[in-house]
Amino acid sequence: MVVERTDLAVRGSRAIILLALLPAVTQAQARGGVEGRVIDAAGRPLAYAEVSVVRARATSDADGAWRIAHLEPGRYRISVRRLGYRPSEQEVQVESGRTAQVSFVLELVPFTLDSLVVSAPPSSISTTDAELGTKLTVSEISLLPSTFDLRQLIAITPGARPDQIWGGASDQANSYSLDGTAINHPGLGGAMLLPSPSWIETLEVRGLGAGADVGSAQGGLVEVVTLAGRNVLEGALRTSFETERLNGSNLIPGEIGSELASRRELDGHVRGPLVRDRLHFALFGHVIRQGQQVLDHLGATPGGFVAQPPSFEETRGLAKLSWKPSGRDLVEGSLMGRHQTGDRVGETGYEAADATDRLRQWNLTASLTWQRSWSPRSALTVRLGGFVAREWHDPYNGPSAPSIELLTEVNPPRYQNAIFRSAAAPSSVGLTATWTGRGRLAGLEHEVKLGGEYTLGGWYYERRRNAGMTWRPLRVVGFDPAIPSTWAYLDAIPTGWGGDVLIDSDVKNAALFVQEQIGILPWLRFNPGLRYGWWTGDLTTPGGQPFTAVRDAALEPRIGVVAELNALGGLVVKAHWGRYHQPMFAALFDRVVGAGAYSNEEIWSYLGAAPGSPTQTFTPGQRDSLAGLGMFRFDETVQVDQAGRVEQYRQPYMEQTVLSVERALGSRWKVGVAYIHRRNRDMVALVDRNIASNYTVVENVMVLDRFGRQVEFGGQPLVLERLAISNEDILYVQDLLRRGELTDPNVLYAPPGMTPAELAALRYDPDFVLTKIPEATRRFGHLQLRVDARYRTWWAGASATLSTLQGNYNVVTGPDDYTAGGPGPWVRLNEQYNFFGALNNQSRFDGKVYLGGLLPGRFRGGVFFSYASGDRVTPTMPISGLLTEFAVPVPSLSTPGALDTLLFQRLLFRSESGHRIFIQPRGSYRYEGRASLDVHLERSFPRGRTEIVLVVDGFNVLGDQSVTGIQTEVNAIAGFIGSDYGRVRSRVPPRTLRLGAGVRF
């Protein structure tokens, strides 16, 4: 009987729902719609055209197709605008229950900035999808202050930075595509290669509310489309230069930093038809020469610059072909290359000129796209593309000469040669296919996208220590790198060994997706999507045996709702929830057992006679033999080789909720408010399952320098609340005690208070696994207000954001920030102390204003103003048994009730060298806020179809000198003695003037 009642209730509820929907469905069937395509005179589809019918808006897709539904029967005027083409209008009769067909053929306008600004589409709000983002076009990019790095344009986006988008964990959390081809680095994440900003037709930053047809990333999705050829021959050539003689400087003697000293560039392109209406070409070229100036910290003159500063030369090129074999097909291909060389790379002012690197790098990116259109209701896009690259960092004195690097934790002076040489070889090839269909089903408007993508990537990286060893003398009075007899301290000269890296990896990223847009009601759209992804990471052992390290597969549901509330003044309300997985790259799995990717760095002290020459070296075999004779002594290990088996691996992902309200104020203005919440899940790292039992924790530990003086912080002696000592080192020291090799009664050989029984029960049993980390957390909250305006001769925008970013892990995987390397905080217990808090690389408040347009007297220009509250910063302390002493108060044996201070035997920290500890809760301090005003101004001199342009760009016009980075290590040594904590490492770029000229035709 209960079952019958339940069945009746279910049937009754269904009937109520059907009755409630019947009027809506009837109303939808009583309305009509209009659809069509936007093409050029050659019949090629034009994407990103803005189509408007009364208040309704649509944007043409890659096939030029568009659709606007839910229109009352009647006669309408349709307007179409597309950058670089003359606006077009048509009238159409919409009938009840039918969709009218109409196509637009847009006419080219001459390629001048004046015409591009005038032809730019008005501001509009999408009522078909729940996505929010930022799109810049060629006209807007041309009027903004010039940049040479495309990533700098990302800063226009509210709440985003060039290397961090909406709380993403650095550039590695972003995904990049060039003309539809993924260009993500298969080893490190982030972008592999980006074109020059002057080559771009559109740059779009996506990810907030993106559907299942959009690739995954935990940060943002940056899509770049380059200019293509048209039916007119057109081109441009420009040059610019800047010099420190015209610029200001934010370099202050005593601080650490570098600035641009000079830059010259030549950039040009030519585009046009090879076969009119059928085959078009575009060729681009860019040559850059630049030098830097670096404050010298090795020379005798304080505040001077290094005599041989870094310099770079770069050449880029791009070739594109567009072929239209029929009225329904379009084939496009492109090939882009870059070659770069650099001298004195990585110079900070603490290196002799021959202790830096020589850079050689090249890469090629290619893509091939086929678009097939059967009708405005059905289209297919297929893309094949990829890249290959090589990069070398070579030493100036060859691989057989050792480097000389002073043994200090921070800013170690280097001489004679670079420490390491390296070679890298990333590559990738991918195939994507998307079918788009539009129509009516069950009386409702539908647009569906079905597709898939498959990408293969490779990453080979090798780093070797030059000469197999490095001389690492301590700072001593009278030290001279050319005279080895001045290197010894207490009759010993430390040396560095190991630290080599070898990674040979392959990755596979694949997905199938379906994304729907369903018109439930005339004012309501429901956009469900589902993406099924699978990921694989393969490694090759040093012996040449390949194996699969990790694999995973998962669903990514994405659900959006769009409501157009005309009764409330035309408000558009959007809500979206979705999951976005991180693409696979090698850093996610390079610590799997068998990879052999990393080797430990060891410190051995040479106890023999002073070397006869600074270039003298020993092999590991010779070192071990001399150690048997008492001429070498092992001191400590920087452990970075930890690797583990794979357990419960899950591909990291981000859950995102987006809520927004937008309103169009006429056809030129729009305003919007959005709230974004992001949470990272299934973050991956190497984990020691026995980390709690592998360490013994000591409280209230005092920190002293190598001369026995207390390290101070904030005017007070530094005392660590907790310090974890590895049981491995405790057991090692106890073994030396039993053998009689340690006899000093005035030091501690174990944590105070430990009984013999407790010492006997100590175990060191690491159980390393590569797995997801439930304890890892990263949460981002973001509220943004945005205003945009688009007029025929000018455009403007402004945004204000409030953001919070909290957690205990500020990367996608690997060592956390503030750490130079290693397996991370779930292997190194000290790195977990105080590690939760406000994460850096995010401003609490961020405000931006930008404006561009045509000015009187044939002038045109733009300005970009930004203000950001300072990033978070946390004082840290790197652990070193050689450079730092640790002590605790213990009850005095001679004076009852009193306390004595006893040092720990330094060998208790021999395996913890290189570990980092936060000495205060993460994010305790904040840098000062920073403001910047950049200005672009140019004057046009028309000569028929040719235009000559003179350009002036000003950056940081307000002359802001805000600090963006300091020395965070409290036990950093400045010179022979003294603390280096708080020393400025970087400021905002100085006031800069760039002059240029160009010609367009």
Side-chain angles (χ1 to χ4, degrees):
M1 194 66 178
V2 174
V3 175
E4 291 179 358
R5 288 181 178 176
T6 303
D7 185 58
L8 287 173
V10 172
R11 292 181 181 180
S13 62
R14 289 175 177 172
I16 292 172
I17 293 173
L18 289 174
L19 288 172
L21 289 178
L22 184 60
V25 174
T26 304
Q27 184 183 19
Q29 291 174 336
R31 294 172 180 254
V34 59
E35 67 181 14
R37 295 181 71 210
V38 182
I39 59 177
D40 63 11
R44 298 183 304 172
L46 294 176
Y48 308 114
E50 300 286 343
V51 183
S52 59
V53 181
V54 193
R55 294 182 61 87
R57 300 279 193 273
T59 302
S60 62
D61 62 14
D63 186 54
W66 56 272
R67 183 181 179 87
I68 296 176
H70 304 304
L71 296 175
E72 295 284 356
R75 194 160 188 83
Y76 292 88
R77 179 178 296 275
I78 305 174
S79 300
V80 177
R81 284 178 174 269
R82 210 278 191 183
L83 191 69
Y85 295 83
R86 297 192 189 283
S88 179
E89 292 185 346
Q90 292 188 44
E91 291 193 352
V92 64
Q93 181 70 36
V94 175
E95 300 178 4
S96 175
R98 305 189 66 179
T99 300
Q101 303 280 334
V102 60
S103 294
F104 285 84
V105 180
L106 299 188
E107 178 187 352
L108 288 170
V109 296
F111 191 82
T112 65
L113 282 182
D114 290 358
S115 63
L116 289 177
V117 172
V118 171
S119 65
S123 182
S124 63
I125 298 173
S126 172
T127 57
T128 59
D129 60 60
E131 189 170 1
L132 304 174
T134 298
K135 184 169 75 173
L136 292 174
T137 64
V138 58
S139 64
E140 295 161 337
I141 294 172
S142 299
L143 293 179
L144 286 171
S146 302
T147 177
F148 301 106
D149 185 355
L150 181 148
R151 275 173 288 233
Q152 297 298 322
L153 297 173
I154 296 173
I156 295 290
T157 302
R161 298 182 178 186
D163 61 345
Q164 191 254 30
I165 302 176
W166 301 314
S170 77
D171 185 58
Q172 69 177 187
N174 301 328
S175 183
Y176 297 84
S177 70
L178 175 63
D179 290 330
T181 298
I183 50 173
N184 299 312
H185 198 296
L188 307 175
M192 181 62 228
L193 170 67
L194 291 170
S196 299
S198 59
W199 304 353
I200 299 172
E201 181 173 1
T202 61
L203 180 144
E204 190 166 8
V205 181
R206 308 176 64 183
L208 298 182
D213 56 311
V214 178
S216 296
Q218 296 186 59
L221 304 150
V222 181
E223 298 182 350
V224 179
V225 177
T226 56
L227 293 162
R230 309 189 296 176
N231 261 345
V232 295
L233 183 65
E234 54 195 335
L237 182 67
R238 69 179 183 90
T239 184
S240 70
F241 79 96
E242 58 184 279
T243 173
E244 47 87 17
R245 297 177 181 177
L246 299 178
N247 297 340
S249 178
N250 283 348
L251 294 178
I252 298 175
E255 297 182 353
I256 304 170
S258 65
E259 289 177 349
L260 194 69
S262 64
R263 184 181 183 109
R264 294 168 290 134
E265 64 149 355
L266 182 65
D267 185 9
H269 73 265
V270 59
R271 303 179 292 145
L274 293 174
V275 179
R276 188 174 180 82
D277 297 338
R278 290 290 182 184
L279 185 63
H280 300 82
F281 77 96
L283 296 174
F284 303 82
H286 196 177
V287 179
I288 303 170
R289 302 288 185 270
Q290 80 174 44
Q292 292 179 279
Q293 54 184 6
V294 181
L295 288 172
D296 187 7
H297 300 286
L298 297 184
T301 304
F305 295 105
V306 298
Q308 296 176 274
S311 62
F312 299 88
E313 296 185 2
E314 182 174 335
T315 302
R316 305 177 186 175
L318 169 65
K320 294 184 69 173
L321 280 177
S322 302
W323 176 43
K324 188 168 180 59
S326 69
R328 294 183 175 182
D329 297 282
L330 176 64
V331 179
E332 292 184 304
S334 67
L335 179 66
M336 184 169 74
R338 180 178 70 170
H339 180 265
Q340 184 182 36
T341 60
D343 283 306
R344 318 300 175 191
V345 175
E347 195 164 22
T348 66
Y350 282 93
E351 302 85 6
D354 53 3
T356 56
D357 297 339
R358 178 185 290 114
L359 169 68
R360 295 178 294 137
Q361 192 267 356
W362 63 263
N363 51 35
L364 288 173
T365 299
S367 66
L368 183 64
T369 302
W370 171 52
Q371 296 180 34
R372 171 78 173 185
S373 174
W374 289 275
S375 72
R377 294 172 176 260
S378 179
L380 175 69
T381 301
V382 179
R383 287 190 174 95
L384 174 67
F387 62 82
V388 62
R390 297 292 184 270
E391 182 174 321
W392 299 268
H393 285 258
D394 299 319
Y396 279 95
N397 286 326
S400 60
S403 176
I404 303 170
E405 180 187 52
L406 295 193
L407 186 60
T408 179
E409 284 293 334
V410 181
N411 304 322
R414 297 187 184 119
Y415 306 89
Q416 186 167 267
N417 207 10
I419 299 175
F420 295 100
R421 63 189 183 279
S422 65
S427 62
S428 177
V429 61
L431 177 67
T432 64
T434 304
W435 174 79
T436 304
R438 303 173 181 86
R440 296 179 68 88
L441 179 65
L444 302 178
E445 295 288 337
H446 290 259
E447 178 177 313
V448 61
K449 291 184 178 181
L450 295 171
E453 55 191 51
Y454 189 82
T455 303
L456 295 172
W459 169 238
Y460 178 87
Y461 177 75
E462 182 177 15
R463 187 183 77 172
R464 300 294 181 190
R465 186 180 291 269
N466 292 320
M469 63 164 285
T470 302
W471 290 106
R472 300 211 61 190
L474 289 161
R475 294 180 185 269
V476 293
V477 177
F479 168 78
D480 187 333
I483 305 175
S485 61
T486 65
W487 298 356
Y489 176 73
L490 299 179
D491 299 322
I493 305 174
T495 58
W497 304 76
D500 295 345
V501 179
L502 178 61
I503 300 174
D504 190 353
S505 65
D506 296 287
V507 298
K508 302 181 184 70
N509 292 281
L512 297 173
F513 59 82
V514 55
Q515 177 65 43
E516 266 268 42
Q517 292 183 4
I518 307 172
I520 302 294
L521 296 170
W523 54 272
L524 181 65
R525 298 189 73 88
F526 177 56
N527 300 342
L530 188 63
R531 186 179 180 91
Y532 177 72
W534 63 98
W535 309 270
T536 304
D538 298 327
L539 287 166
T540 300
T541 68
Q545 297 298 316
F547 68 98
T548 296
V550 296
R551 60 161 56 96
D552 191 27
L555 291 172
E556 296 183 353
R558 302 179 188 179
I559 302 171
V561 177
V562 183
E564 188 176 9
L565 307 177
N566 290 324
L568 298 178
L571 289 179
V572 178
V573 179
K574 301 180 181 182
H576 190 276
W577 175 88
R579 287 184 176 179
Y580 301 81
H581 281 81
Q582 178 68 39
M584 182 69 77
F585 57 90
L588 285 164
F589 57 89
D590 59 9
R591 289 192 174 274
V592 173
V593 165
Y598 301 97
S599 66
N600 293 335
E601 181 177 354
E602 298 179 346
I603 302 296
W604 292 69
S605 285
Y606 173 65
L607 307 175
S613 165
T615 60
Q616 181 178 336
T617 61
F618 301 96
T619 67
Q622 291 171 330
R623 178 201 66 195
D624 294 342
S625 296
L626 291 173
L629 300 175
M631 296 177 64
F632 262 103
R633 179 188 67 220
F634 173 74
D635 288 323
E636 66 178 16
T637 299
V638 180
Q639 290 188 342
V640 293
D641 71 338
Q642 294 97 328
R645 66 188 184 278
V646 178
E647 238 182 50
Q648 297 181 333
Y649 178 89
R650 294 292 182 268
Q651 195 68 10
Y653 70 92
M654 175 267 296
E655 276 187 348
Q656 175 180 263
T657 301
V658 180
L659 303 172
S660 69
V661 178
E662 298 175 274
R663 182 179 180 184
L665 306 176
S667 63
R668 297 294 180 179
W669 288 80
K670 71 175 181 180
V671 61
V673 178
Y675 170 75
I676 298 99
H677 180 267
R678 289 179 158 191
R679 182 174 181 178
N680 291 79
R681 295 185 181 273
D682 285 352
M683 286 187 279
V684 172
L686 193 68
V687 174
D688 181 1
R689 297 285 196 201
N690 298 330
I691 188 172
S693 60
N694 283 335
Y695 285 86
T696 299
V697 179
V698 182
E699 297 180 345
N700 300 320
V701 178
M702 294 180 288
V703 183
L704 297 83
D705 64 20
R706 66 187 178 108
F707 299 107
R709 298 170 306 178
Q710 280 199 294
V711 174
E712 292 192 350
F713 174 72
Q716 299 293 326
L718 176 61
V719 178
L720 302 178
E721 293 181 6
R722 292 172 295 176
L723 180 65
I725 303 177
S726 172
N727 290 349
E728 179 185 21
D729 295 333
I730 298 175
L731 294 172
Y732 174 76
V733 169
Q734 294 302 305
D735 182 60
L736 293 180
L737 272 175
R738 283 191 295 270
R739 299 206 306 253
E741 297 183 24
L742 299 177
T743 57
D744 187 352
N746 298 316
V747 298
L748 292 170
Y749 295 105
M754 291 194 74
T755 66
E758 289 173 330
L759 283 171
L762 280 183
R763 295 291 181 269
Y764 180 73
D765 183 24
D767 183 16
F768 298 128
V769 294
L770 186 76
T771 184
K772 63 179 182 179
I773 317 164
E775 300 84 3
T777 180
R778 225 174 157 275
R779 297 190 181 192
F780 176 70
H782 180 77
L783 180 66
Q784 67 172 239
L785 170 66
R786 182 170 184 171
V787 179
D788 288 284
R790 294 292 186 273
Y791 282 81
R792 286 177 56 83
T793 59
W794 63 275
W795 57 274
S799 67
T801 65
L802 293 173
S803 304
T804 61
L805 180 61
Q806 288 193 317
N808 57 17
Y809 203 38
N810 204 24
V811 291
V812 173
T813 188
D816 203 355
D817 58 355
Y818 290 95
T819 306
W826 281 272
V827 171
R828 298 173 167 181
L829 184 59
N830 284 305
E831 295 186 2
Q832 292 189 21
Y833 297 148
N834 289 325
F835 75 153
F836 178 84
L839 302 177
N840 66 323
N841 202 19
Q842 182 65 49
S843 297
R844 175 67 175 172
F845 174 79
D846 182 270
K848 300 171 183 177
V849 179
Y850 46 91
L851 171 69
L854 307 183
L855 301 172
R858 297 197 177 278
F859 284 94
R860 54 192 174 230
V863 297
F864 177 55
F865 173 80
S866 65
Y867 172 82
S869 58
D871 289 6
R872 297 284 187 169
V873 62
T874 312
T876 66
M877 190 197 76
I879 297 173
S880 171
L882 290 177
L883 299 176
T884 306
E885 301 274 10
F886 299 97
V888 290
V890 297
S892 175
L893 297 177
S894 58
T895 307
L899 295 175
D900 290 334
T901 299
L902 289 184
L903 296 174
F904 284 103
Q905 218 289 335
R906 64 177 183 83
L907 291 177
L908 288 171
F909 304 95
R910 69 179 194 128
S911 66
E912 294 185 50
S913 182
H915 294 204
R916 177 264 304 142
I917 185 169
F918 289 119
I919 66 170
Q920 287 192 338
R922 193 172 201 151
S924 298
Y925 298 97
R926 190 195 302 272
Y927 289 118
E928 59 187 320
R930 56 188 183 276
S932 179
L933 176 64
D934 301 336
V935 179
H936 173 87
L937 183 65
E938 57 183 69
R939 173 64 159 87
S940 171
F941 299 90
R943 296 291 186 271
R945 293 190 67 251
T946 301
E947 178 186 41
I948 299 174
V949 180
L950 299 181
V951 183
V952 176
D953 286 292
F955 301 90
N956 190 13
V957 174
L958 301 178
D960 187 57
Q961 290 187 317
S962 298
V963 174
T964 58
I966 64 168
Q967 196 77 64
T968 61
E969 294 84 354
V970 297
N971 57 339
I973 301 299
F976 191 68
I977 58 174
S979 174
D980 215 12
Y981 170 73
R983 188 180 184 189
V984 173
R985 295 189 62 90
S986 62
R987 295 178 180 269
V988 296
R991 183 186 289 114
T992 302
L993 181 67
R994 182 179 299 152
L995 304 178
V999 58
R1000 298 187 181 97
F1001 61 90

